[in-house]
Amino acid sequence: MTAEELARKSLEYRKKILTYIYGAGAGHTGGSLSCVDILNVLYNYVMNVGPDNFHDPGRDRYIQSKGHTVEALYVVLADKGFFPESDLKTMSRYQSHYIGHPTRKINGVEQNTGALGHGLSLSVGTAIAAKMDKLDYRVFTLLGDGELPEGSNWEAALTAAHYKLDNLCAVIDKNTLQITASTAEVCNTDPVDEKFESFGWAVRHVDGHDFGALMEAFDSLPFTEGKPSLIIAHTIKGKGISFMENQLKWHHGVPAEQQFAEAIEELEQAMAVL
Ligand SMILES: Cc1ncc(C[n+]2csc(CCOP(=O)(O)OP(=O)(O)O)c2C)c(N)n1
């Protein structure tokens, strides 16, 4: 897929994220909108994974550590054909498997996540398994900048470098906001690039909404042979909907009827000029 095609798809994804969150009356809106371009590029340009090979041991793996923004993952998995999109109408409803965090009950989900701080460890184990099994799949994980203070991340970072996991790529969705305050105010992890580099990772910064830049970064993996790679994706929480961008209340804010209509209108206008 080209950068232009990906850009169009992301606008569709944003509409769907808002539609299903609005329908469910629940969801993590801001962080889903900040990470959806990254998921789009991963699933439609980078990774060798789809419903046809999901049980193939050689498939690429994606583990979403910031599990609370599962709505972005759901719309991408539905678009890839892992399950019918109509399933998402049940999101967050009684007895639906489409709950507010990823579980392996959903086709296409590799690991249960949601308690922050576990995705990188799971990914390290999966990447070690590839090396042991002499398989050439790659492992991708998405971390929130707000989850980085969890100590398990740093243990995993150390281990990834120790085992020279150049088949592992972590992406930080660095939208700079947490739930109640900025990430820097809650627990500052900057300079996060220098920290990971000092742990033995190869690190790059990228605009997390620039499709060409994301594609180029993923094309360059591994950044250094014998080292795990980290992409620090600079993103905007609530990206694409002007009244949601960079606003804490949209962490898990659900649009009211009028706000929903305005948001969809903004996305349709963006589509018209693309
Ligand atoms: C172990 C754990 N502690 C606390 C939470 C509650 N929690 C849910 S989202 C969130 C903020 C996460 O911030 P970030 O990772 O930056 O997510 P984003 O801003 O991208 O949505 C927290 C603390 C959790 N899910 N897991």
Side-chain angles (χ1 to χ4, degrees):
M1 237 182 223
T2 65
E4 290 72 28
E5 288 166 334
L6 291 167
R8 178 160 288 278
K9 203 174 247 308
S10 267
L11 290 171
E12 287 291 349
Y13 285 160
R14 286 191 162 83
K15 268 173 81 175
K16 290 177 182 181
I17 288 168
L18 292 170
T19 300
Y20 294 116
I21 287 177
Y22 176 67
H28 285 86
T29 312
S32 287
L33 294 173
S34 72
C35 74
V36 71
D37 296 335
I38 299 163
L39 268 72
N40 184 1
V41 176
L42 279 172
Y43 274 94
N44 294 305
Y45 179 73
V46 178
M47 294 196 299
N48 162 32
V49 66
D52 296 340
N53 74 344
F54 190 59
H55 297 289
D56 175 349
R59 73 192 181 281
D60 288 335
R61 312 295 205 271
Y62 171 73
I63 295 172
Q64 185 160 310
S65 193
K66 46 168 267 179
H68 58 281
T69 61
V70 70
E71 295 84 16
L73 181 60
Y74 286 155
V75 300
V76 174
L77 291 180
D79 183 49
K80 294 293 288 180
F82 279 100
F83 50 80
E85 194 187 307
S86 55
D87 284 7
L88 296 181
K89 291 184 186 149
T90 70
M91 213 171 78
S92 295
R93 303 222 181 275
Y94 180 57
Q95 290 190 329
S96 171
H97 289 321
Y98 295 84
I99 59 169
H101 294 85
T103 78
R104 295 178 65 187
K105 291 186 172 146
I106 305 299
N107 194 28
V109 172
E110 292 280 356
Q111 294 288 350
N112 296 9
T113 52
L116 296 168
H118 296 293
L120 190 56
S121 300
L122 290 164
S123 301
V124 166
T126 310
I128 291 174
K131 299 263 182 201
M132 291 175 79
D133 294 342
K134 301 202 182 334
L135 292 171
D136 62 4
Y137 66 79
R138 298 183 295 172
V139 184
F140 296 87
T141 185
L142 180 72
L143 308 167
D145 55 344
E147 74 163 316
L148 287 178
E150 295 286 350
S152 45
N153 285 310
W154 302 99
E155 198 175 329
L158 190 71
T159 310
H162 175 79
Y163 286 102
K164 302 186 182 356
L165 299 180
D166 55 7
N167 55 349
L168 171 66
C169 174
V171 183
I172 298 176
D173 176 6
K174 193 165 172 44
N175 61 33
T176 74
L177 296 181
Q178 250 252 22
I179 299 184
T180 52
S182 71
T183 304
E185 284 169 288
V186 176
C187 185
N188 190 14
T189 50
D190 281 328
V192 72
D193 48 2
E194 290 176 22
K195 290 188 172 77
F196 270 86
E197 275 161 0
S198 75
F199 274 61
W201 287 57
V203 180
R204 281 208 198 171
H205 290 264
V206 70
D207 175 340
H209 303 302
D210 179 334
F211 295 96
L214 283 166
M215 292 157 89
E216 199 276 327
F218 286 117
D219 279 342
S220 311
L221 292 172
F223 300 146
T224 305
E225 244 171 73
K227 287 187 175 190
S229 302
L230 175 70
I231 296 176
I232 300 175
H234 296 272
T235 58
I236 296 171
K237 207 156 174 172
K239 170 73 180 173
I241 310 300
S242 25
F243 65 86
M244 293 183 181
E245 288 190 359
N246 284 319
Q247 300 295 319
L248 279 171
K249 70 172 184 178
W250 290 104
H251 174 78
H252 43 35
V254 176
E257 190 179 352
Q258 179 59 24
Q259 291 171 317
F260 175 66
E262 276 173 38
I264 297 296
E265 172 64 21
E266 185 169 350
L267 291 170
E268 275 168 5
Q269 279 177 13
M271 254 176 220
V273 295
L274 204 68

